[in-house]
Amino acid sequence: MSILGYIQRGGTPSPIDRLLATRLGTAAADLVAAGTYGVMVAARGDATEPVPLEDVAGRRKPVPADHSWVASARNVGTCLGD
């Protein structure tokens, strides 16, 4: 079995990754319990908020190739598919 997050970022999740996943998952479950559908959960600072899927579907927000995150990923051996 493969965990998608491991494949995407390369490596085991950090404690911060686990807390973020718990935070987003709990918020998503709360939205379902409230009967709210057709949204995704976005992390905004210390809070979460529902974002309608029509606001984000089909839109891309790429990280520029010269961004420091890309350089950091490459420095630790993460394959970015190119």
Side-chain angles (χ1 to χ4, degrees):
M1 176 171 83
S2 293
I3 306 297
L4 185 57
Y6 296 3
I7 295 168
Q8 288 176 324
R9 292 199 327 263
T12 6
S14 70
I16 291 173
D17 294 330
R18 293 178 193 278
L19 289 171
L20 178 61
T22 301
R23 195 170 118 206
L24 294 175
T26 301
D30 289 345
L31 288 169
V32 170
T36 303
Y37 301 98
V39 298
M40 60 164 255
V41 178
R44 303 274 188 219
D46 290 335
T48 60
E49 67 180 61
V51 177
L53 290 176
E54 59 265 10
D55 290 355
V56 296
R59 296 171 73 193
R60 295 178 67 202
K61 190 175 178 182
V63 177
D66 62 347
H67 196 283
S68 63
W69 293 347
V70 174
S72 294
R74 291 188 193 289
N75 287 339
V76 297
T78 303
C79 176
L80 300 175
D82 53 359

